[in-house]
Amino acid sequence: MITHLRGKLVEKNPTYVIVECNGVGYFLNISLHTFSLLKDEENIQLYTHLLIKEDSHTLFGFVERSEREIFRLLISVSGVGSSIARTMLSSLSPAEVRDAIANGEVASIQAVKGIGAKTAQRVILDLKDKILKVYDMGEVSLPSNNTSKEEALSALEVLGFTRRQSEKVVDKVLSEDPSLSVENTIKQALKNL
């Protein structure tokens, strides 16, 4: 429902921030990772996740979109609630969580307070394929100024292809004909995927 907030940073603590947007103050729970990335600027933007339960509506804030995606994956695992997911993202960086899950490092995940051996194994079992899909391992994609390339990659990700796999094909297609429209780039890439 609320995907991000941009407003004035009113209060900042290691576990929460209050952001005022057009006269409304939003209380956002944050991880230590987000706390460390938040600058002491007046105006900030945070990606959010709204968790609705019978007795509460809780808003979580993240400086990075990738941290929010990992948070969402973590809370999808049975036995991992929002507080454990936030603790995990406070103990480990999002990249460390991603790598621990992708490499099956039970000990790294189990080292987080509140996570036992069974829960750590369940996190790895449930998320290994999903985390590899969301965050391609091994290669870091270079930032691109080509917006049509980015749009094509986003569309291919929505269609279920991994970013790394798509990027190789899109780069090949665009190297052959850099003037292709986004639609034609996607069509050519689909033929080669």
Side-chain angles (χ1 to χ4, degrees):
M1 185 174 131
I2 301 172
T3 190
H4 74 270
L5 292 174
R6 181 179 294 132
K8 182 180 173 185
L9 180 61
V10 177
E11 193 174 331
K12 175 182 164 188
N13 284 305
T15 57
Y16 71 90
V17 292
I18 296 175
V19 178
E20 184 179 317
C21 303
N22 296 324
V24 179
Y26 292 91
F27 182 98
L28 294 106
N29 292 284
I30 60 170
S31 67
L32 285 175
H33 178 73
T34 289
F35 178 76
S36 68
L37 294 176
L38 269 178
K39 309 267 187 295
D40 287 326
E41 297 171 355
E42 188 173 332
N43 292 311
I44 63 167
Q45 176 176 326
L46 291 174
Y47 296 100
T48 61
H49 178 80
L50 177 63
L51 189 65
I52 300 175
K53 293 184 178 178
E54 284 179 23
D55 58 344
S56 68
H57 289 210
T58 310
L59 202 54
F60 292 88
F62 310 93
V63 169
E64 301 170 326
R65 186 179 284 158
S66 60
E67 184 182 12
R68 178 179 66 179
E69 295 311 312
I70 290 178
F71 177 83
R72 288 177 171 168
L73 286 174
L74 289 170
I75 62 173
S76 72
V77 176
S78 174
V80 177
S82 57
S83 60
I84 290 179
R86 184 168 71 158
T87 302
M88 191 181 289
L89 289 166
S90 293
S91 303
L92 305 167
S93 72
E96 290 170 333
V97 172
R98 178 198 67 201
D99 294 345
I101 292 170
N103 298 325
E105 297 170 13
V106 177
S108 297
I109 295 171
Q110 197 177 339
V112 176
K113 185 180 183 286
I115 296 185
K118 284 185 180 179
T119 304
Q121 290 167 347
R122 194 177 313 118
V123 166
I124 291 169
L125 188 68
D126 288 2
L127 300 182
K128 192 167 191 166
D129 293 336
K130 292 178 185 175
I131 211 142
L132 289 175
K133 215 177 206 181
V134 177
Y135 304 95
D136 298 310
M137 302 300 293
E139 291 182 18
V140 176
S141 55
L142 298 170
S144 169
N145 293 331
N146 187 342
T147 53
S148 62
K149 175 185 172 184
E150 287 303 315
E151 288 177 28
L153 287 172
S154 294
L156 291 168
E157 281 184 274
V158 168
L159 294 172
F161 297 98
T162 65
R163 187 167 184 88
R164 184 175 67 196
Q165 177 187 19
S166 303
E167 193 159 29
K168 288 178 184 174
V169 174
V170 169
D171 284 342
K172 184 176 177 238
V173 167
L174 288 174
S175 69
E176 292 167 4
D177 187 359
S179 64
L180 282 175
S181 69
V182 175
E183 294 82 10
N184 289 329
T185 302
I186 294 167
K187 287 177 186 174
Q188 291 299 318
L190 285 171
K191 289 178 185 175
N192 295 311
L193 282 168

